[in-house]
Amino acid sequence: MRKTTKTPAVGRWVAAAVALGSCLALAGTAPTAGAVPADPVPTVFFGDSYTANYGIAPVNNEGTERVFCFQAKENYPTVVTRRLADKGITLSVQSDVSCGGALVHHFWEKQELPFGLGELPPQQEALKDDTQLAVGSMGGNTVGFSRILKQCSAKLRGDEGALLPGTPVDGDEPAANCREFFESGDGKEWLDAQLERVGWELEELLERIQYFSPDAKRVLVGYPRIVPADTTKCLTAAPGQTELPLADIPQDALPFLDQVQKRLDDVMKKAVADAGANFVDLYALTGANTACDGADRGIGGLFEDSQVKFGEQALPWYGHPNEKGRDIQAQRVADKAAEVLNQ
């Protein structure tokens, strides 16, 4: 089978062939367990706005259409690369194709940029035969988390949420009723279907990485926790802020939003386990750095000004990691990368 970006779903026979090849390779001389890779590791980073680290300035690709990916120059792939270098592990970054707004299927299909500003090729085109490490986060946009937020926030449905992709799941339902909407009837059916779709699309993504880069260690990175277990924290503005971290989302909906994140985390873990890949479980590790943790927050509030401006107007964080959150992502990803590369 010739490897092209139009290659259909890889299929079990391809995975079996790759697995057989791996077993035969293991019959030869194996590297010493725990040894630091001696040569630079060809690496590809992929993903959505959580890999791109939307909200952190300055951004990459000024003067090109990719500037609208809002990929930070100091996103977690950049920080991970430095931290691994400090451990004696050199990444040779072949590409970082992370882009805000990317859905899982943009790994194998082109992505339309906002405002009709062009399109980007499938992210899988960054993979090479010699890629040895592929790392990134995807799934949040496919589950429709921004649409869920807009279902639960009247403010996000207005002009203040115009730059956040998507529309409410059902704009006729008042935002105040969002929890009830998602826990029964059409809302529940929609959410269950979205989570199911994320699962099989992530399996496809991981299978494609293995097909195009058979020797690559695959690391899927989960999403940091946004809502704390104690939702009363969300009733207090962060230091220096006047808006509540989760704005006008009803307090009774906050545990539901956290449950959605937990369900997404579980779906991602299952896809990784089924594919024999690796997972960075940020949800489990960031409960003390949610959007509602004040000075310790690793997530910028929905309407808190980020570092990125559109003209003279600062864009909101819309619930993305700030620099503290980015550093938490980077530390956990660097630890996992070192672990899998040293195996």
Side-chain angles (χ1 to χ4, degrees):
M1 182 184 295
R2 185 168 64 91
K3 296 180 182 179
T4 73
T5 58
K6 296 183 179 179
T7 302
V10 179
R12 298 301 172 194
W13 68 271
V14 173
V18 171
L20 177 60
S22 298
C23 291
L24 292 174
L26 288 173
T29 303
T32 303
V36 173
D39 298 319
V41 180
T43 301
V44 168
F45 291 101
F46 63 89
D48 56 25
S49 57
Y50 278 73
T51 308
N53 280 122
Y54 161 86
I56 296 176
V59 298
N60 276 323
N61 305 303
E62 290 279 4
T64 76
E65 68 273 9
R66 276 193 176 272
V67 72
F68 292 102
C69 287
F70 297 106
Q71 185 190 95
K73 289 186 176 181
E74 288 288 312
N75 64 349
Y76 81 67
T78 300
V79 180
V80 165
T81 301
R82 282 202 302 269
R83 293 193 178 187
L84 288 176
D86 291 341
K87 297 174 181 283
I89 300 173
T90 302
L91 300 187
S92 174
V93 179
Q94 296 172 310
S95 196
D96 178 354
V97 290
S98 59
C99 186
L103 286 78
V104 178
H105 70 255
H106 290 136
F107 194 77
W108 58 86
E109 294 180 9
K110 65 185 180 183
Q111 179 182 351
E112 299 288 340
L113 289 170
F115 316 119
L117 293 171
E119 60 186 36
L120 302 178
Q123 294 192 16
Q124 70 179 17
E125 289 191 6
L127 296 169
K128 309 298 180 187
D129 287 341
D130 66 343
T131 301
Q132 294 178 25
L133 180 66
V135 182
S137 310
M138 273 186 161
N141 290 324
T142 297
V143 82
F145 202 71
S146 64
R147 297 191 67 191
I148 294 168
L149 290 175
K150 287 189 175 182
Q151 188 65 37
C152 297
S153 167
K155 290 190 70 172
L156 279 175
R157 297 187 190 191
D159 291 343
E160 291 177 275
L163 290 175
L164 187 67
T167 59
V169 179
D170 184 348
D172 293 330
E173 281 284 329
N177 296 344
C178 72
R179 180 171 185 168
E180 179 183 352
F181 171 75
F182 282 116
E183 289 183 343
S184 63
D186 291 344
K188 182 179 185 302
E189 183 178 342
W190 177 88
L191 180 57
D192 290 346
Q194 294 300 105
L195 286 161
E196 183 178 1
R197 178 180 179 180
V198 171
W200 61 259
E201 286 196 353
L202 284 176
E203 290 180 11
E204 174 79 0
L205 180 154
L206 293 166
E207 193 174 56
R208 282 172 176 266
I209 294 175
Q210 186 175 47
Y211 177 69
F212 287 105
S213 303
D215 296 326
K217 304 286 189 179
R218 298 164 295 166
V219 179
L220 186 65
V221 182
Y223 293 92
R225 191 170 182 174
I226 296 174
V227 181
D230 179 6
T231 59
T232 61
K233 293 181 179 180
C234 301
L235 302 180
T236 302
Q241 301 298 311
T242 56
E243 184 82 61
L244 294 180
L246 297 175
D248 62 329
I249 294 177
Q251 189 181 4
D252 73 340
L254 297 179
F256 158 74
L257 292 179
D258 187 48
Q259 181 187 46
V260 172
Q261 264 210 283
K262 181 62 169 64
R263 290 179 68 185
L264 174 60
D265 193 67
D266 289 342
V267 166
M268 296 177 80
K269 282 193 286 192
K270 183 179 186 303
V272 165
D274 290 347
N278 302 277
F279 187 58
V280 179
D281 192 354
L282 289 176
Y283 176 88
L285 299 167
T286 51
N289 302 106
T290 70
C292 302
D293 278 297
D296 292 325
R297 67 193 182 285
I299 302 291
L302 289 183
F303 293 113
E304 180 181 349
D305 285 350
S306 76
Q307 299 173 3
V308 175
K309 292 185 177 181
F310 193 76
E312 295 301 314
Q313 179 65 43
L315 301 181
W317 281 107
Y318 287 144
H320 285 79
N322 54 26
E323 287 176 308
K324 179 189 287 288
R326 183 272 320 274
D327 289 345
I328 294 171
Q329 291 175 295
Q331 184 60 56
R332 300 301 184 179
V333 173
D335 289 346
K336 177 59 71 173
E339 175 188 325
V340 301
L341 291 173
N342 289 342
Q343 288 174 349

